[in-house]
Amino acid sequence: MAQDRHRPLRNGAARTRARLLEAAAEVFAEQGYAGASVDEIAGAAGVSVGSIYSRFGSKQELFEALMSEHLARDVARVRDGMAVGLAEGVSTPDDILHEAAGSRRRTLLDAETWVSAMRTPALRRALVEYEAAARHETSRTFAEQRGHIGVDIGMSDEEFATVVMALYQGLLRQVRLDPDVVAPDLLSRVLMALVRGLAADTGDAAPRDR
Amino acid sequence: MAQDRHRPLRNGAARTRARLLEAAAEVFAEQGYAGASVDEIAGAAGVSVGSIYSRFGSKQELFEALMSEHLARDVARVRDGMAVGLAEGVSTPDDILHEAAGSRRRTLLDAETWVSAMRTPALRRALVEYEAAARHETSRTFAEQRGHIGVDIGMSDEEFATVVMALYQGLLRQVRLDPDVVAPDLLSRVLMALVRGLAADTGDAAPRDR
DNA sequence: GTCTATAGGATGATAGAC
DNA sequence: GTCTATCATCCTATAGAC
């Protein structure tokens, strides 16, 4: 009991690391990689520059650690978000979309991730890998749903997942730029229409050049 | 005739400005705003730093001039691209997509535009304005096509344009990250299916639950 | 208008005390 | 492991010759 008083001060290792990554997230997000100074990050974290360089070897390594954590968190979010399912008519895809759009921090870090990935091959590979994981997760979830309903979509689950992700990311961009342009239920409306239209194209239900 | 020999050397004003913007595009794209140095831009343009500061007042102003030109060029591209039409079954939307994805310069400048817009309110307003223009252009074109075919989509032309742009931008992102993931005709396939599905939802054309 | 030279300041990274 | 102090470098911007 008395020892608990000391607990928050102990294990400074992980604690300091977390505070540093938090500060790095804030500063890198707001200023960008090149625009951020190690001094400012140190100040925001309440530590000194030397402390940063002892823990992470360089500004670049600190940035990569942050990016890695950012992507890992996003993977977890996709996994959780997929658990609720797509085609049930639930409005949760829209909730996920608007929640993601609402966070300035995430918006800026996503943008910084993208711009860095387009310049740095190593970061690009990491992002490709992450995107593939998200695609498989989406694809797998949709395959289950499709099994329940029993519709033929006319394309592979992987390709459909690609379309869903593109639509999600595209709308995310629109919402982040100007929230008024995207109705709260647009994503789910379009997804349902899309499934219907794809099923119709297989000749399952619709007349084509009769 | 003999004077033509001198022509290329004359009117250095616009000529130098163009070379400067070209060099700025290259360096800002590859290094980002903060990462780019005025010295390097001057070197790439074959002029000296003083020359840049006499023409543009600061690094920031040079960047804004470049962004403005970049957006204007993009507006023109949308206008031209829309001229061919959406719903005719022509594969040109896909061509436009993959051509845009193929240019590293455009990819990087788009990314830099986005990240800067998310941080700088003035740039963000400019991007919102550009996006609205593109949306109206898309909307208008689709309205014409819709008139010819005569389908009821169940949403406004503006909203449909938003979806089309989101899909386009989302797929553009996917192609730029990993070209193998997106089939060459995916965009047009999805667009056609989408129109069909939206029309079906109104109970207009397609048989739903007969 | 474009050059060279330089001012004035910020930056990434290191050294060494504690 | 964290601090302070400092180095060497690079950067934006300006001054002044031509």
Side-chain angles (χ1 to χ4, degrees):
Chain A
M1 285 273 195
Q3 283 189 347
D4 277 309
R5 289 267 155 71
H6 290 272
R7 273 270 208 81
L9 290 176
R10 291 250 226 89
N11 82 337
R15 191 112 188 140
T16 303
R17 186 189 151 90
R19 286 186 50 178
L20 261 171
L21 284 177
E22 156 67 21
E26 177 62 25
V27 179
F28 277 133
E30 219 63 43
Q31 317 277 354
Y33 173 73
S37 82
V38 179
D39 224 57
E40 189 177 349
I41 295 174
V47 300
S48 197
V49 266
S51 199
I52 289 185
Y53 279 94
S54 81
R55 204 166 280 277
F56 309 88
S58 67
K59 180 186 180 183
Q60 182 70 38
E61 282 178 67
L62 171 59
F63 180 72
E64 283 166 11
L66 173 66
M67 288 291 106
S68 166
E69 205 208 25
H70 179 64
L71 282 187
R73 199 171 297 181
D74 231 43
V75 157
R77 259 189 287 250
V78 169
R79 209 171 295 258
D80 296 349
M82 282 304 142
V84 295
L86 276 176
E88 281 179 10
V90 192
S91 67
T92 35
D94 301 288
D95 296 340
I96 295 174
L97 177 74
H98 285 88
E99 188 204 335
S103 163
R104 174 175 174 87
R105 170 78 58 89
R106 273 179 75 183
T107 298
L108 293 177
L109 280 186
D110 280 353
E112 197 60 26
T113 303
W114 174 254
V115 79
S116 303
M118 286 298 101
R119 291 196 195 109
T120 313
L123 238 169
R124 183 191 183 124
R125 279 190 291 273
L127 189 54
V128 167
E129 195 180 347
Y130 152 70
E131 208 91 353
R135 187 167 52 247
H136 291 135
E137 204 73 33
T138 306
S139 165
R140 199 179 51 74
T141 304
F142 176 70
E144 285 176 15
Q145 301 285 339
R146 189 172 50 76
H148 290 172
I149 310 176
V151 288
D152 180 13
I153 280 296
M155 61 172 59
S156 72
D157 293 326
E158 285 275 315
E159 191 166 44
F160 182 72
T162 301
V163 175
V164 171
M165 287 178 61
L167 195 58
Y168 174 82
Q169 289 162 345
L171 282 178
L172 186 55
R173 199 196 113 111
Q174 300 277 349
V175 177
R176 281 170 169 171
L177 186 61
D178 184 359
D180 300 336
V181 167
V182 178
D185 64 340
L186 183 57
L187 175 56
S188 54
R189 260 192 293 143
V190 169
L191 282 179
M192 280 161 58
L194 184 60
V195 171
R196 203 180 294 266
L198 285 171
D201 274 347
T202 64
D204 199 16
R208 200 160 141 191
D209 2 84
R210 171 67 49 104
Chain B
M1 286 276 190
Q3 282 190 349
D4 278 308
R5 287 270 155 71
H6 291 272
R7 271 273 208 80
L9 290 176
R10 288 250 226 93
N11 82 339
R15 190 114 187 136
T16 303
R17 188 189 150 90
R19 287 185 49 178
L20 260 172
L21 284 177
E22 156 67 19
E26 176 63 24
V27 179
F28 278 134
E30 218 64 44
Q31 317 276 354
Y33 173 73
S37 83
V38 179
D39 222 58
E40 188 177 351
I41 295 173
V47 299
S48 198
V49 265
S51 199
I52 290 186
Y53 279 94
S54 82
R55 204 167 280 279
F56 309 87
S58 66
K59 180 185 178 181
Q60 182 69 37
E61 282 178 67
L62 171 59
F63 180 71
E64 283 166 10
L66 173 65
M67 288 291 107
S68 166
E69 205 209 25
H70 179 64
L71 282 187
R73 200 171 296 180
D74 230 43
V75 158
R77 260 190 286 250
V78 169
R79 208 172 297 259
D80 296 350
M82 281 305 143
V84 295
L86 277 176
E88 281 179 10
V90 192
S91 67
T92 35
D94 301 286
D95 295 341
I96 295 173
L97 176 75
H98 284 88
E99 187 204 336
S103 163
R104 174 175 173 88
R105 170 79 59 89
R106 275 179 74 183
T107 298
L108 292 177
L109 281 186
D110 280 352
E112 196 62 25
T113 304
W114 175 252
V115 79
S116 302
M118 285 298 101
R119 289 195 198 112
T120 314
L123 239 168
R124 184 194 182 121
R125 278 189 293 273
L127 189 55
V128 167
E129 195 180 346
Y130 151 70
E131 207 92 353
R135 188 168 51 248
H136 291 136
E137 203 73 33
T138 306
S139 164
R140 200 178 51 73
T141 304
F142 176 70
E144 286 175 14
Q145 301 287 340
R146 189 172 51 75
H148 291 172
I149 310 178
V151 287
D152 180 13
I153 280 295
M155 61 170 61
S156 73
D157 293 328
E158 284 274 316
E159 192 166 43
F160 181 71
T162 301
V163 174
V164 171
M165 286 177 63
L167 195 59
Y168 174 82
Q169 289 162 346
L171 281 178
L172 185 55
R173 198 196 114 112
Q174 299 278 348
V175 177
R176 281 170 169 171
L177 186 62
D178 184 359
D180 300 336
V181 168
V182 178
D185 64 340
L186 182 58
L187 175 56
S188 53
R189 262 191 290 143
V190 170
L191 282 179
M192 281 161 57
L194 184 61
V195 171
R196 202 179 294 264
L198 285 171
D201 276 346
T202 67
D204 185 28
R208 201 161 87 169
D209 17 67
R210 194 172 339 180

